[in-house]
Amino acid sequence: MLCLEFAIPPLPQFVTVGHAIWSPGDRHFARTFGVYDLLLVKRGTLYMTEQGTEYEIGPGNLLVLEAGLPHVGHKACSENTEIYWVHFIHYGKPAHIRQEEISWPALLIKGTMEDEVPPSQQRLYMPKFAPVDVEALEPILREMNEIHSRLNTENALRLHVLLAGLMAQLQAECARLPQPEPAVRLARAAAAYLDAHWRQPFQLAGLEEELHFQADYITRCMKQHIGTTPLQYVLHLRLEEAKKLLGGTVLGMSEIAERVGIHDPNYLTRLFSARFGVTPGAYRRRLRQRGTAGTEELKD
């Protein structure tokens, strides 16, 4: 399945929504539109051409027409055709990517208490043209249409929230079909095992015994599909936990090291400094200084 990949933030922004039943003989007019046009057919068939590519959108199928590309109904409906549409905008041209090429388990940088901007750009995915779960999507589309018909200041924000929910459902469609290749499944299984055992001493032998593959092959699969080796994955989890403990407790480095499965606090300090560019002590002091400043602002 071909998916559209959008860089976020910002999320796509709502423009309008609609629902209609087209009669036999109706067809979409030609235009080049500055917004994305998401079309979902519940029954009947809609015939669309986008920049020379023909699509036959049957029951339970979705097509996303892209902003700036010419589209036209190349053939009239031959039966009553029920459709939903959603128009949205997003800045930046989307990439086209095959579903099996998306690295779903890839680690993302997490935000911290001291961040003032998002730590990294993420990605949102939706099918370009694919069968979808209409029963899951239709309640959202119905509510969007209902709100849009009686739009006012009080309920306007709800439309944007629902659009985000719709996007989440569509991304789930990308994640669901087709079944991932064996190497991807193995990488995910390895990550799941490490998620449950990262506090224990790191041993590749445990992965081999659990997954019944040699450690070299498991490492190659994780590196290719998650972007990190098993050891790097475990260290990432341990350092993220250390950050939480530094910010939320008064524990010393020796106890923090024990809690995250690193028994040498000096080694933890070196890892932390290399990963985040600041020593654990300086990180904790910075958090406390910001907390004190925030308290002073409240007193003013």
Side-chain angles (χ1 to χ4, degrees):
M1 173 170 56
L2 185 66
C3 297
L4 299 177
E5 179 187 71
F6 295 89
I8 58 171
L11 287 169
Q13 299 175 42
F14 174 83
V15 176
T16 191
V17 64
H19 170 256
I21 298 177
W22 289 21
S23 301
D26 290 344
R27 71 174 183 173
H28 201 290
F29 57 90
R31 68 177 170 187
T32 301
F33 210 27
V35 305
Y36 292 86
D37 189 356
L38 184 156
L39 300 170
L40 173 64
V41 174
K42 183 177 181 182
R43 57 187 172 99
T45 303
L46 187 65
Y47 303 91
M48 296 294 300
T49 292
E50 180 186 55
Q51 203 173 33
T53 301
E54 294 186 358
Y55 297 95
E56 185 174 313
I57 318 168
N61 279 263
L62 171 142
L63 172 68
V64 178
L65 298 169
E66 297 175 50
L69 299 184
H71 60 258
V72 62
H74 63 265
K75 181 179 176 181
C77 296
S78 60
E79 57 185 320
N80 287 335
T81 299
E82 184 176 2
I83 66 170
Y84 291 93
W85 72 87
V86 178
H87 293 173
F88 63 91
I89 59 174
H90 187 271
Y91 303 103
K93 185 175 177 61
H96 288 192
I97 183 171
R98 302 299 307 178
Q99 187 276 343
E100 58 270 20
E101 296 172 352
I102 300 172
S103 182
W104 297 110
L107 292 172
L108 299 175
I109 298 174
K110 298 179 181 179
T112 70
M113 294 174 62
E114 61 179 1
D115 289 336
E116 297 180 356
V117 296
S120 65
Q121 196 168 62
Q122 300 179 19
R123 298 291 185 269
L124 179 151
Y125 300 94
M126 67 180 68
K128 169 67 178 178
F129 174 59
V132 294
D133 185 352
V134 177
E135 290 187 2
L137 299 176
E138 192 173 23
I140 300 176
L141 292 166
R142 283 179 176 172
E143 185 174 355
M144 292 177 74
N145 273 282
E146 180 183 350
I147 292 175
H148 194 252
S149 67
R150 51 180 178 81
L151 188 61
N152 56 45
T153 302
E154 182 181 6
N155 61 23
L157 179 60
R158 179 64 181 161
L159 276 173
H160 297 275
V161 174
L162 287 168
L163 178 63
L166 179 66
M167 299 299 173
Q169 290 279 9
L170 293 177
Q171 179 160 285
E173 295 286 346
C174 286
R176 184 160 40 243
L177 296 171
Q179 288 297 313
E181 60 184 86
V184 176
R185 293 199 297 270
L186 178 59
R188 293 178 179 178
Y193 174 84
L194 295 173
D195 285 337
H197 297 86
W198 62 268
R199 284 186 172 87
Q200 301 173 8
F202 176 77
Q203 293 180 336
L204 284 172
L207 270 176
E208 289 183 321
E209 183 178 350
E210 176 72 17
L211 302 177
H212 308 295
F213 285 93
Q214 291 185 345
D216 287 346
Y217 180 63
I218 297 172
T219 298
R220 288 200 304 272
C221 290
M222 285 195 68
K223 186 67 176 176
Q224 179 179 356
H225 298 289
I226 297 182
T228 182
T229 67
L231 178 57
Q232 291 168 341
Y233 189 89
V234 167
L235 290 177
H236 169 84
L237 297 176
R238 290 175 174 176
L239 290 172
E240 289 294 333
E241 181 67 14
K243 282 173 66 177
K244 293 179 183 178
L245 294 173
L246 284 166
T249 74
V250 294
L251 297 175
M253 283 305 298
S254 295
E255 190 166 356
I256 289 176
E258 287 290 335
R259 290 199 180 191
V260 302
I262 298 175
H263 301 293
D264 183 352
N266 293 324
Y267 180 49
L268 173 59
T269 297
R270 291 197 299 272
L271 289 174
F272 193 97
S273 301
R275 173 67 177 82
F276 300 114
V278 63
T279 66
Y283 176 79
R284 173 174 271 171
R285 286 193 297 273
R286 187 183 303 175
L287 292 180
R288 288 176 176 173
Q289 289 168 359
R290 293 196 173 192
T292 302
T295 301
E296 292 174 351
E297 290 174 4
L298 288 175
K299 289 180 180 179
D300 292 341

